[in-house]
Amino acid sequence: MMQTVEIYILNLIQKFRCPFLDAVMPKITMLGNCGAVWIVLAAVMYFSGYDEQAGMMVFVGLTVGVITGNLMLKPMVARPRPSWFIAEENLLIKNPSDFSFPSGHTLSSFVSAFILISCGSFFGFAALFLACAIAFSRMYLYVHYPSDILGGILLAGMISAGVLRCF
């Protein structure tokens, strides 16, 4: 039942497909590949002296996120991606080969955004906006179910709370 609702939501999102979004969404999702945008932002904050502590907290949060989300939960849950069940030519990006739950792009994005907002960083709300765009792009590109996104956000909340508590 739940998966039927999620497929319905993904197919509803597909109704918004247009040449503009088809060009933009792969670029937005690419920002989240391997947490790249967040690693760069954390490095700039840390090494520039702008906010070393927030930069370090983002690094720690990203590391914990990779370990718990990508290395532990994804293989344990082993949820197939929605993109594995559609024709390859309908995808706008390369079909990911790892499992679906939780969304690593969403996890890294929201860990970073939650930490930056909690630290009062100038980048906090821009990071939250970008995190939402990256999370939505994963559904638009048909590589994650809505519950993968929600799971990534919830796990990000727990990880960022833990990181903030440790610092």
Side-chain angles (χ1 to χ4, degrees):
M1 173 70 172
M2 174 73 166
Q3 190 152 344
T4 305
V5 171
E6 292 193 280
I7 294 292
Y8 175 79
I9 293 168
L10 289 178
N11 289 335
L12 191 62
I13 291 169
Q14 297 305 298
K15 293 185 186 296
F16 292 99
R17 284 194 59 177
C18 65
F20 174 74
L21 290 176
D22 286 357
V24 170
M25 287 298 167
K27 290 171 181 54
I28 290 173
T29 216
M30 191 176 5
L31 291 171
N33 288 356
C34 301
V37 70
W38 310 115
I39 292 168
V40 169
L41 180 60
V44 167
M45 291 176 73
Y46 183 78
F47 292 111
S48 72
Y50 170 72
D51 191 341
E52 295 97 347
Q53 187 170 3
M56 182 54 69
M57 285 194 284
V58 170
F59 279 128
V60 170
L62 291 172
T63 302
V64 173
V66 166
I67 293 167
T68 58
N70 290 52
L71 300 179
M72 292 171 59
L73 282 174
K74 278 187 189 247
M76 189 183 331
V77 175
R79 184 181 198 188
R81 290 178 180 269
S83 59
W84 293 356
F85 303 109
I86 67 168
E88 191 81 25
E89 63 269 6
N90 291 335
L91 294 177
L92 298 172
I93 60 171
K94 185 177 180 254
N95 204 345
S97 59
D98 62 338
F99 291 112
S100 191
F101 184 88
S103 167
H105 283 70
T106 302
L107 174 56
S108 64
S109 298
F110 278 88
V111 160
S112 302
F114 290 158
I115 289 171
L116 293 172
I117 287 171
S118 296
C119 291
S121 172
F122 172 78
F123 301 111
F125 288 103
L128 184 60
F129 177 79
L130 182 57
C132 291
I134 289 172
F136 179 78
S137 77
R138 304 305 286 166
M139 292 184 292
Y140 184 91
L141 296 169
Y142 219 85
V143 293
H144 278 293
Y145 294 101
S147 61
D148 300 335
I149 303 302
L150 182 60
I153 294 169
L154 292 174
L155 185 55
M158 290 186 281
I159 291 169
S160 58
V163 168
L164 290 161
R165 186 180 204 112
C166 288
F167 277 79

